[in-house]
Amino acid sequence: MHVQRLILSLAALLLLAPLGALHAASCHDNVVLVHGNTGSPSDFDNTRQELLARGYSASQIFTPNWGSKTCAACNDHNGSEETPVANAIVDAIAASCTGKIDVIGHSMGATLAAHEIVELGARPYIDTFVGIAGAFHGLWSCGMYPYNVWNATCGSWGLSVNSPFLNDLYGKRFGDKVYSIKSWSDEINCSSGTCLVYGVHTSSIWGEDGSLTYPYGHYGLLWYTAADQVNLIQ
C-alpha cells in the first residue's frame, strides 16, 4: 500500500512540477494539520484561522481525521490510523503550487505524520515539519518496551520508550526544516514526573532546526501557539 502511495505521489509531483515552478513566487505551500489521539480536525481551528488570515485559501489546508474517537488505547501508528494521514499528504503534494508542503502535527499526530512522511518517501517534498507536544522519544507512562506495555498506543507500534516503532523512526529527517513545540508543564508527556527520556525532552526532535518552549499544557501548546506555528512554516 505504501509503495502504491509513493508511486502516486511521485507521479503527481512530476506532472505538477512545471506549474509549481511558474507559480512558486505567488502561492503558499499547502499545509497538512494532523490532530492527536482521539482528537479531531477542529483541534486546529486556531491554526486554520491564522493561516486564512495570512492569505492561505481553504483549499490549501488539509486536515485528515484519523483514529478511534472513543478508544484512545486502541490507536497506534499502523493500519487504519495511517490511511487518512497518508492520503492527506499525497493529496496536498499533488495539489501544491510550489511542489512542497508543510506538515504540522500535534501529540500522537506528530509521530504519525512523521511516520507517513518516511513511509511515503515524501521527505523531499516537505518544506517544514512542526511537531507540537509529540512524544518522539516515548512516554514513560507507556512503560519501556516490552515491559509494562498495556495497550496498542503503548505497544510495538506505539509510544513506549524504546518501542520498535520509535526506534525505527529515530534519526530520520521529516523536512527541509524541522521544529518542535514543547512544554515542561505538559500533563500528558510529563505525567510520570519528568519530561525527559535519557536526558532529552521527549517532544524534541533529533536534528531539529529549533524548538519553542511555552508554559502551557498539552492542548494549550496547540491552541495558544497558532501565530508561531504559522511563523515557523513561512
Side-chain angles (χ1 to χ4, degrees):
M1 181 181 292
H2 290 310
V3 172
Q4 292 175 333
R5 292 176 190 157
L6 174 58
I7 292 172
L8 288 173
S9 65
L10 292 176
L13 279 163
L14 288 173
L15 290 172
L16 186 66
L19 181 63
L22 289 172
H23 292 86
S26 61
C27 68
H28 301 287
D29 293 340
N30 287 343
V31 183
V32 179
L33 307 174
V34 186
H35 67 75
N37 194 2
T38 69
S40 68
S42 64
D43 293 343
F44 271 99
D45 278 355
N46 290 349
T47 306
R48 179 183 173 83
Q49 291 305 313
E50 184 70 22
L51 289 166
L52 294 173
R54 298 205 199 181
Y56 289 75
S57 68
S59 64
Q60 292 177 303
I61 305 170
F62 294 74
T63 55
N65 192 10
W66 67 272
S68 169
K69 308 305 177 185
T70 59
C71 181
C74 299
N75 292 322
D76 61 16
H77 300 81
N78 183 49
S80 61
E81 291 89 346
E82 297 182 83
T83 304
V85 179
N87 288 345
I89 291 172
V90 169
D91 291 346
I93 291 171
S96 173
C97 58
T98 67
K100 294 270 192 173
I101 68 171
D102 302 312
V103 178
I104 305 175
H106 174 244
S107 189
M108 191 170 165
T111 43
L112 180 57
H115 174 61
E116 294 313 306
I117 290 168
V118 172
E119 287 293 288
L120 291 166
R123 158 65 186 90
Y125 313 113
I126 311 300
D127 179 41
T128 305
F129 178 89
V130 181
I132 305 170
F136 286 89
H137 300 269
L139 298 174
W140 287 118
S141 58
C142 269
M144 179 183 287
Y145 189 85
Y147 307 105
N148 302 317
V149 175
W150 58 285
N151 59 37
T153 303
C154 296
S156 61
W157 283 95
L159 296 173
S160 54
V161 175
N162 283 335
S163 73
F165 164 73
L166 287 177
N167 286 345
D168 183 66
L169 200 62
Y170 184 80
K172 293 183 170 66
R173 187 81 177 174
F174 312 125
D176 295 340
K177 299 178 289 293
V178 176
Y179 299 100
S180 66
I181 295 178
K182 65 184 186 299
S183 171
W184 296 97
S185 303
D186 188 323
E187 72 278 12
I188 302 297
N189 291 354
C190 311
S191 65
S192 65
T194 180
C195 309
L196 300 177
V197 177
Y198 302 132
V200 179
H201 195 297
T202 191
S203 296
S204 297
I205 305 173
W206 41 87
E208 62 191 14
D209 296 278
S211 183
L212 302 179
T213 305
Y214 299 87
Y216 306 134
H218 193 70
Y219 290 94
L221 281 174
L222 171 60
W223 297 333
Y224 306 141
T225 66
D228 283 336
Q229 293 170 42
V230 180
N231 288 340
L232 289 174
I233 67 173
Q234 288 191 321

